[in-house]
Amino acid sequence: MLEVRGLNKVYEGHQRRVEAVRDLTFTIDAGDLVCLVGPSGCGKTTLLKCIAGLLAPTAGEVLLDGRPVTGPPRGMAVVFQEYGRSLFPWMSVRDNVALPLKQKRVAKARRRELVDEALAAVGLAGTESAYPWQLSGGMQQRVAIARAVAYEPEVLLMDEPFAAVDAQTRADLEDLVRALWKRLGVTILFVTHDIDEAVYLGQQVIMLSASPTVVQERLAIDLPAERDQLHTRADARFTHLRTHVYEQIQAAKRGTRTDAAVASVAE
Amino acid sequence: MAATALKRIGLVLGLPVILFAVWYVATDNSQSFYVPPLRTILSVFDDTWTGQRLRADVLPSALRLLAGYALATVLGVGLGVVIGSYRRVRAVAEPVLEFFRAIPPPVLVPVIMLFAGIGDGMKVIVIVSGCVWPILLNTVEGVRAVDGVLADTARSYRITGPARLRHLLLRSASPQIMAGMRQALSIAIILMVISEMFAASNGLGFTIVQFQRSFAIPEMWTGIILLGLLGFVLSALFRFAENRVLAWYHGLRSAQRKS
């Protein structure tokens, strides 16, 4: 279980003090797929870095299975938005996926197995010896996902992973994430600014307010577990939920909470 | 394939061949004692650089060069990684580095002789004292320029300590390190010769000065040509190594240009 309690992050600069995150509290149960949406510039990346142990919060804490996160915890993997900058360009695809495992002291035979499985799972079997920059953007992000999957994390953090890929690739990758989630039973926290993506992917959607950030609303997505791009997105319930989230985000930008919208979703 | 290979060889060798031809023709009737015809210079080349002399003079020079260059690389990269990694260290060290870098290394030869005597150690130290700066400063820049996202990625996968040094810092800084090493290579050759001119009993620099002092002018010129050839071979070897080490970098760059 992942808990965020009273998280606050203030950046101190030259005569400038920016409160990126004011006060965030939420929990994510083991095995959940939760999407975080919020208006751009609301501190989503700051929050994610705090959870990943890459950034120390100013106040509050993050707990993973009851233990406070003070540095990058074991059993957590992060997929960044900038796939081109998160893969090691001097390593082949295989070495990129294998390096964290080597660091984890996974035995060589098992390492090979995990790498092969992960690459096959993201549809990249056969590209092992290529360098990342020889692949398309979508394929590079698949490598980053394969690396995270091979690592066998309990919690997978994804920071707007598909923001920089084209729309069709994006749809494929969304389905890939849901398929992997169902197969591996991993907890996923998926940060995005795309409302449709959040509703399509998540079991839960946490909406954040504009900066300084608090939780605007938490919404359970009661769509069937079997989702596909064609039918789910045409579903009336999907449209209803996305409209609600959209209204909340708009309200967040204005700095208010529309209770009318809350009422409408409860109907 | 064969045609393009021939074309490349032609491009590489074309200008040197022309320059040598001009030199040959221009000095053909030279009566000057100090600028003998190239024909004369080439005719004494074989007799001057015998196997025995290559062993006695060229080999010691080459060994000093390699020892100094290798030491400078280890020192420059090692210190560069430390200075580049810690902002505090950098703030303290940078002014001092700029000061030392600004001193022309040949000036240090008499000083180093006082401490290190006139043996091989002195020559190696002279070469190190000149070569270390471009390597050091470029390594600092390279380490500082490590991509933030890549560093976060490494950290989140708990790639720390020696693995981080090996897989992240050194590889990421390798284009800059190689650029520094290339500058250092030409400095190393210059300092090898200069240190041997000051105080030595063998070596290429020593031999060239000996020829000049005993008015063996054509032989002196052959020494200079040999020195040029040595530099050419070393830079060709360096380029070969660089192309292997930085293959990923050149590939990445051309992939980025296309998109």
Side-chain angles (χ1 to χ4, degrees), chain A residues 74-75 97-117 147-153, chain B residues 157:
Chain A
R74 220 174 277 279
V97 179
L99 181 63
L101 303 178
K102 222 173 179 172
Q103 196 63 14
K104 228 167 94 174
R105 303 189 184 285
V106 176
K108 200 171 175 188
R110 176 73 184 138
R111 208 156 71 209
R112 208 180 168 81
E113 217 172 86
L114 282 169
V115 173
D116 287 340
E117 274 173 24
R147 178 171 61 185
V149 166
Y151 195 62
E152 297 184 302
Chain B
Y157 284 113

Side-chain angles (χ1 to χ4, degrees), chain A residues 49 54 72-74 80 85-91 99-100 103 133 147-148 151, chain B residues 147 149-150 152-153 155-160 163 167-168 171-172 248 251-252 255:
Chain A
K49 280 192 173 175
L54 294 170
R74 220 174 277 279
F80 292 94
R85 291 165 57 198
S86 88
L87 297 171
F88 296 97
W90 44 84
M91 283 183 197
L99 181 63
Q103 196 63 14
W133 37 265
R147 178 171 61 185
Y151 195 62
Chain B
D147 189 280
V149 176
L150 207 54
D152 272 351
T153 304
R155 212 145 82 78
S156 72
Y157 284 113
R158 303 163 72 94
I159 297 165
T160 52
H167 296 297
L168 178 68
R171 294 309 300 271
S172 176
W248 67 269
L252 175 67

Side-chain angles (χ1 to χ4, degrees), chain B residues 6-198:
Chain B
L6 273 177
K7 203 172 157 191
R8 276 193 58 187
I9 291 170
L11 285 174
V12 170
L13 292 180
L15 192 57
V17 167
I18 291 171
L19 289 176
F20 259 87
V22 169
W23 185 5
Y24 196 97
V25 174
T27 59
D28 202 31
N29 295 317
S30 172
Q31 298 300 316
S32 164
F33 180 69
Y34 299 111
V35 188
L38 182 55
R39 185 164 26 87
T40 317
I41 297 171
L42 293 178
S43 69
V44 299
F45 196 102
D46 279 357
D47 294 332
T48 310
W49 300 102
T50 55
Q52 199 267 329
R53 176 157 261 147
L54 289 177
R55 256 195 314 281
D57 288 308
V58 180
L59 188 64
S61 285
L63 289 178
R64 287 168 197 149
L65 175 81
L66 289 180
Y69 187 61
L71 210 59
T73 303
V74 172
L75 217 62
V77 171
L79 286 174
V81 167
V82 174
I83 295 171
S85 298
Y86 302 100
R87 193 156 9 121
R88 290 248 172 76
V89 180
R90 198 157 59 237
V92 172
E94 220 142 52
V96 182
L97 293 183
E98 291 297 334
F99 175 78
F100 278 113
R101 192 175 74 128
I103 300 174
V107 171
L108 293 175
V109 176
V111 182
I112 292 171
M113 267 166 68
L114 291 178
F115 294 108
I118 56 170
D120 287 337
M122 177 275 276
K123 286 150 195 112
V124 171
I125 292 174
V126 168
I127 293 171
V128 170
S129 71
C131 287
V132 77
W133 307 111
I135 301 176
L136 173 61
L137 294 168
N138 276 287
T139 305
V140 170
E141 286 313 307
V143 169
R144 282 183 63 182
V146 170
D147 189 280
V149 176
L150 207 54
D152 272 351
T153 304
R155 212 145 82 78
S156 72
Y157 284 113
R158 303 163 72 94
I159 297 165
T160 52
R164 180 180 142 85
L165 178 69
R166 184 170 149 217
H167 296 297
L168 178 68
L169 291 185
L170 289 182
R171 294 309 300 271
S172 176
S174 59
Q176 285 94 331
I177 293 174
M178 291 307 268
M181 285 176 70
R182 191 171 353 166
Q183 287 175 35
L185 186 61
S186 47
I187 295 174
I189 296 171
I190 294 168
L191 288 179
M192 172 195 84
V193 175
I194 288 178
S195 68
E196 288 171 354
M197 285 176 168
F198 267 85

